[in-house]
Amino acid sequence: MSNAFDDALHSLQLSEDGSYTAYSKEYDEHYHSTKDGALAESLKKHVIPAFSVITGEEVNILDICYGLGFNTLATLLYVKENFPDKKINIYSPELDDSLIKSLEYFTYPKEFEIFREIITTLSREGVYKRANLYIEVYLGDAREYIKKFHNKFDIIYQDAFSPSANPILWTQEYFADIKNVMKCSAVLTTYSIALKTRLALYKNGFVLHLNEGEGFRVSTVAAFKELTEFKVVNMEHKISCNKDVQALRDRDL
Ligand SMILES: C[S@@+](CC[C@H](N)C(=O)[O-])C[C@H]1O[C@@H](n2cnc3c(N)ncnc32)[C@H](O)[C@@H]1O
């Protein structure tokens, strides 16, 4: 299918749950798992596990990276349906400004239609502000952007392209900076279950957990303490069985 969203770098792709995602010609990767489905992946690997742990009335979220905005929009959907009184603040860096400008033409799932004004405003102006909601899409490098914050976020959605396609957003040093912006009670969600990703988190003091359930491939939830909601990954055992695996480091890129 071709539409106003398609351009030299992106093309629209139907995913398994009926929602559309995109394929990046630059990174040679899809924005979401086409098997799990774009909307299902956002909800099941990021939003639902994060909000099963984080219960405060005001929640600060770092959405790495905005991409098509599914994690941000799925958050709004889930919060509207389950916690309508929460105040939500979402901060999301995105390098690709032409992608952001094209999003008002993207074929979103019907569940996001109620957010049409938000989608258009973010696509054109990058900021959306109402009484209980603040969203900013920062056009630029996530590694620079996160240096502005300290001890701020309750939730991190770690949803960059894969460690092999975009390693700069998966190194031990990157996760040290991410740790610096997280509250000690915060949680990080990611689709990646790669040992080198988990090692980069583990070396920064994160406790790794398995997020598993019906209809999606397992993913990772990381926090600074053991979470009762998830099964803990025994990292010492994994390290002893895979002695050659190393965390990605900035110096190796
Ligand atoms: C897998 S997609 C994100 C999908 C998104 N979370 C969603 O739900 O639609 C990865 C995004 O990271 C962006 N990106 C790559 N390197 C970046 C960087 N250094 N800083 C900010 N964004 C970056 C890409 O342009 C792409 O849009």
Side-chain angles (χ1 to χ4, degrees):
M1 177 171 174
S2 170
N3 76 353
F5 170 80
D6 282 11
D7 64 16
L9 290 177
H10 318 95
S11 62
L12 199 63
Q13 295 282 320
L14 186 59
S15 73
E16 202 64 28
D17 68 351
S19 60
Y20 282 91
T21 183
Y23 170 74
S24 164
K25 297 168 196 170
E26 185 183 359
Y27 291 90
D28 190 19
E29 273 191 9
H30 290 99
Y31 282 70
H32 301 92
S33 157
T34 52
K35 286 205 172 62
D36 291 329
L39 178 56
E41 178 166 61
S42 279
L43 285 169
K44 293 178 180 176
K45 295 184 187 172
H46 295 284
V47 180
I48 295 173
F51 278 90
S52 75
V53 177
I54 300 301
T55 55
E57 283 312 300
E58 179 164 1
V59 181
N60 292 332
I61 300 172
L62 178 64
D63 182 7
I64 302 272
C65 304
Y66 191 80
L68 309 176
F70 269 69
N71 291 342
T72 287
L73 297 168
T75 300
L76 302 188
L77 188 65
Y78 190 72
V79 167
K80 185 176 173 10
E81 287 171 357
N82 295 282
F83 314 106
D85 297 329
K86 274 193 201 297
K87 178 162 176 24
I88 301 292
N89 307 307
I90 302 179
Y91 299 77
S92 188
E94 173 53 58
L95 210 48
D96 187 347
D97 58 343
S98 71
L99 174 68
I100 298 299
K101 290 193 180 73
S102 71
L103 290 181
E104 62 178 297
Y105 306 109
F106 188 76
T107 308
Y108 282 108
K110 62 177 183 337
E111 289 86 342
F112 290 171
E113 244 346 282
I114 49 175
F115 306 127
R116 179 47 55 190
E117 184 209 351
I118 298 176
I119 291 167
T120 306
T121 306
L122 288 176
S123 178
R124 293 181 186 175
E125 296 164 28
V127 178
Y128 186 88
K129 195 172 177 183
R130 293 291 183 276
N132 264 358
L133 179 60
Y134 177 78
I135 308 173
E136 84 175 30
V137 178
Y138 168 83
L139 293 179
D141 181 10
R143 296 232 18 192
E144 284 306 311
Y145 182 60
I146 59 178
K147 294 196 177 116
K148 294 200 325 187
F149 303 103
H150 175 64
N151 198 23
K152 180 176 179 75
F153 293 105
D154 301 288
I155 294 173
I156 311 286
Y157 299 141
Q158 171 63 24
D159 196 22
F161 284 123
S162 69
S164 50
N166 198 9
I168 194 80
L169 298 182
W170 298 94
T171 66
Q172 191 173 318
E173 291 79 8
Y174 165 75
F175 285 120
D177 288 346
I178 287 288
K179 177 181 181 177
N180 179 52
V181 305
M182 293 171 73
K183 296 178 184 169
C184 58
S185 55
V187 66
L188 177 150
T189 59
T190 179
Y191 65 86
S192 178
I193 54 168
L195 184 53
K196 59 185 172 180
T197 298
R198 287 177 164 173
L199 262 180
L201 287 160
Y202 187 64
K203 299 250 181 200
N204 280 296
F206 284 86
V207 180
L208 285 307
H209 306 79
L210 266 187
N211 173 37
E212 37 190 2
E214 283 290 305
F216 66 102
R217 289 171 307 164
V218 293
S219 62
T220 299
V221 174
F224 300 116
K225 59 179 184 206
E226 287 196 12
L227 302 171
T228 53
E229 294 84 353
F230 303 96
K231 198 192 292 174
V232 173
V233 178
N234 185 340
M235 285 300 291
E236 288 305 320
H237 177 67
K238 289 212 180 286
I239 292 165
S240 70
C241 298
N242 299 275
K243 290 201 166 58
D244 294 340
V245 179
Q246 301 289 329
L248 286 171
R249 303 297 301 263
D250 278 356
R251 62 176 183 239
D252 302 327
L253 305 182

